[in-house]
Amino acid sequence: AKQLPVLRISAIPDQNPEKLNRLYGLVARELSRQLSVPVKYVPMTDYAAAVTAFRTGDLDVVWFGGLTGVQARLQKPNARVLAQRDIDVSFRSIVIANGRSGLQPVRTITGLRELKGRRFTFGSENSTSGRLMPQYFLAQAGVKPSQFAGGAPGFSGSHDATIALVQSGAYEAGAVNEQVWRSSLHNGKANRSKVMAIWKTPGYPDYHWIAQGNLDARYGKGFTAKLQKAILSWRPSDPEQKVILDLFGAQQFIKATPGEYKRIEQVGREIGKIR
């Protein structure tokens, strides 16, 4: 049998590289086992790099956020949306604050006005849960990015970086994704006596797996459907798959459709992240 090409998978670098290397190393191994093709995880330096590498065809299957997924699909119209996590149907962002900042939990969205004049950081500039949606909800509360201390917000680059910066007091407040916030509390990276959640956004669609449109041509008829079926088949009852799902903060993956991300595209255009 002729050697099939290596299936190159990647993800937006939303957390520290050690965790990502572990998670996607396991994903590569599991997909290779299920699909009988060689699979390799290719790490990315930042969110924009993942979108570019997908556009140029250097990556075959990518775990994108809501915004990066929309950006990637606009540049590659034949790309296929494969799946999202059960938690991505109604994903949320958390506004966190340093314990010594004097900021208190916010009862209604208008309470976010307390953030005016504060040192505030987002995650990556292209993050759905660490920038796009928090900026959108802040705008609804009447808070513009230019109204933070210094006339601009910070951009930490990733969710765990945001948590560390707010916990240290480098920033008084920030926006992170709920799943990373929960796992940081769980593993002790976030210390409740130093950093706290003060507000949770309403839900919105977020992360999703996207595949190049030409995989069937390269790997054989029906390959994309097989790939989708493999991801959708992962269950906590299987020990290998349980580790993967735990690292994703999910019980399982479910089907996703491009239409679910129209709202993300709309907000992306509003704040100028999609031209």
Side-chain angles (χ1 to χ4, degrees):
K2 73 171 178 65
Q3 220 8 83
L4 285 164
V6 174
L7 186 75
R8 296 149 307 176
I9 67 165
S10 195
I12 51 168
D14 59 345
Q15 295 175 70
N16 74 59
E18 294 76 51
K19 178 172 177 180
L20 301 183
N21 287 333
R22 181 174 171 224
L23 169 54
Y24 296 103
L26 292 169
V27 170
R29 206 165 69 192
E30 190 57 28
L31 286 177
S32 183
R33 186 185 69 76
Q34 288 181 285
L35 303 168
S36 306
V37 301
V39 183
K40 180 180 182 229
Y41 166 55
V42 184
M44 291 289 118
T45 50
D46 57 36
Y47 285 45
V51 175
T52 303
F54 189 81
R55 187 188 73 229
T56 57
D58 291 321
L59 296 174
D60 300 311
V61 187
V62 182
W63 180 243
F64 279 120
L67 176 62
T68 44
V70 169
Q71 289 169 335
R73 284 184 284 117
L74 288 170
Q75 295 175 16
K76 270 288 174 82
N78 67 342
R80 299 275 301 276
V81 175
L82 300 179
Q84 60 185 189
R85 296 170 298 191
D86 46 12
I87 59 174
D88 288 309
V89 180
S90 185
F91 202 78
R92 295 167 193 275
S93 300
I94 306 281
V95 174
I96 58 171
N98 181 281
R100 288 151 76 179
S101 64
L103 290 163
Q104 294 298 318
V106 169
R107 298 270 166 261
T108 61
I109 191 166
T110 50
L112 292 173
R113 289 177 190 163
E114 290 297 316
L115 294 169
K116 286 183 185 179
R118 300 289 193 148
R119 298 190 311 282
F120 185 92
T121 187
F122 290 119
S124 159
E125 293 189 42
N126 290 297
S127 172
T128 307
S129 53
R131 192 270 171 97
L132 182 78
M133 297 311 291
Q135 184 169 324
Y136 170 77
F137 291 118
L138 283 163
Q140 289 190 326
V143 182
K144 295 193 200 72
S146 61
Q147 293 172 313
F148 293 125
F155 290 103
S156 74
S158 77
H159 299 292
D160 36 16
T162 298
I163 294 169
L165 287 165
V166 175
Q167 181 160 295
S168 74
Y171 286 93
E172 294 170 283
V176 295
N177 103 27
E178 180 178 31
Q179 184 256 320
V180 177
W181 170 245
R182 280 189 174 165
S183 75
S184 298
L185 287 171
H186 183 69
N187 67 24
K189 287 253 161 64
N191 179 339
R192 285 175 197 276
S193 66
K194 295 181 178 170
V195 60
M196 60 179 176
I198 60 168
W199 190 67
K200 186 192 283 192
T201 70
Y204 52 85
D206 201 356
Y207 293 77
H208 47 318
W209 281 111
I210 296 179
Q212 293 286 0
N214 67 355
L215 296 186
D216 286 19
R218 290 174 54 213
Y219 293 92
K221 199 165 175 281
F223 181 82
T224 308
K226 246 166 69 178
L227 167 64
Q228 180 183 43
K229 209 174 138 190
I231 294 170
L232 296 175
S233 77
W234 297 342
R235 290 291 179 276
S237 53
D238 176 294
E240 289 278 309
Q241 296 171 4
K242 184 187 188 323
V243 178
I244 291 171
L245 292 167
D246 285 350
L247 287 167
F248 270 114
Q251 285 295 306
Q252 69 177 80
F253 284 87
I254 58 175
K255 279 188 172 160
T257 61
E260 294 171 62
Y261 294 89
K262 275 286 172 223
R263 181 165 169 231
I264 298 293
E265 181 178 345
Q266 202 185 330
V267 178
R269 290 186 189 283
E270 277 173 33
I271 75 162
K273 288 312 296 179
I274 297 172
R275 304 261 179 285

